[in-house]
Amino acid sequence: MFKQYKKVYSFEECLYQNKITLRQAIVTDINSFLQIEEDVYDGKTPWNHTAFLQEMLNNRRSIYISAVAKNEVIAFIGVDFYPLKCEAHITNFAVATPYQGQGLAKFMMKKIMDFCKDEGYKVISLEVNNNNIIAKSLYAKMGFEEGKFLKNYYTETLEDAIEMYVYL
């Protein structure tokens, strides 16, 4: 359904001459996703191995993109596509702590937005933890607007979320 998203991008401006490859994720990337989640979410993994595996193998509407530097997955983003609604939904997105604050999240989001626009999608949506000021700020800078407030959205912590969306 979706063309392979395999391109190499030079990301020198923020990673000091390192090269990052954005590629379609493979099943063996899941362990890295879990490690990144643990790092980013204070030891928690909002998605477990089975959930990632299910999405990657059985959901024909989804794509996962891994950012790889020096043969290590340093970030990932998952996107669900709804062609009839011309909408894409970001299911999860995380950047390993050592690579945060350098523009990688913005870079990846821009590539996903470009990809969606090229494929004819009109809107991208996501949910973000209401307490995650940095992520909300990034999304706002990328043109996302706040939507519904989702009380107790995260079942384990009962934290609230905000829906956000951007029209392409």
Side-chain angles (χ1 to χ4, degrees), residues 7-12 14-15 17-23 66-70 74-75 99 104 107-108:
K7 294 182 181 178
V8 176
Y9 298 95
S10 176
F11 202 45
E12 297 171 1
C14 74
L15 292 177
Q17 306 302 319
N18 286 341
K19 198 177 236 189
I20 292 182
T21 303
L22 293 185
R23 62 161 169 75
S66 293
V68 180
K70 298 179 184 173
I74 60 170
Y99 294 90
L104 180 56
F107 176 77
M108 291 181 72

Side-chain angles (χ1 to χ4, degrees), residues 54-83:
Q54 181 76 10
E55 279 292 295
M56 291 173 74
L57 295 180
N58 298 327
N59 185 349
R60 294 177 186 246
R61 295 184 333 252
S62 74
I63 188 171
Y64 276 78
I65 304 298
S66 293
V68 180
K70 298 179 184 173
N71 295 319
E72 176 186 355
V73 175
I74 60 170
F76 67 93
I77 188 167
V79 185
D80 236 353
F81 296 94
Y82 300 93

Side-chain angles (χ1 to χ4, degrees), residues 129-145:
N129 187 312
N130 192 46
N131 296 324
N132 192 339
I133 305 303
I134 294 170
K136 286 174 28 178
S137 174
L138 167 71
Y139 300 141
K141 287 177 188 171
M142 305 282 311
F144 282 78
E145 299 176 28

Side-chain angles (χ1 to χ4, degrees), residues 108-120:
M108 291 181 72
M109 183 62 76
K110 175 80 171 99
K111 294 301 174 192
I112 289 297
M113 291 171 78
D114 291 346
F115 177 75
C116 289
K117 191 171 187 176
D118 290 348
E119 293 294 316

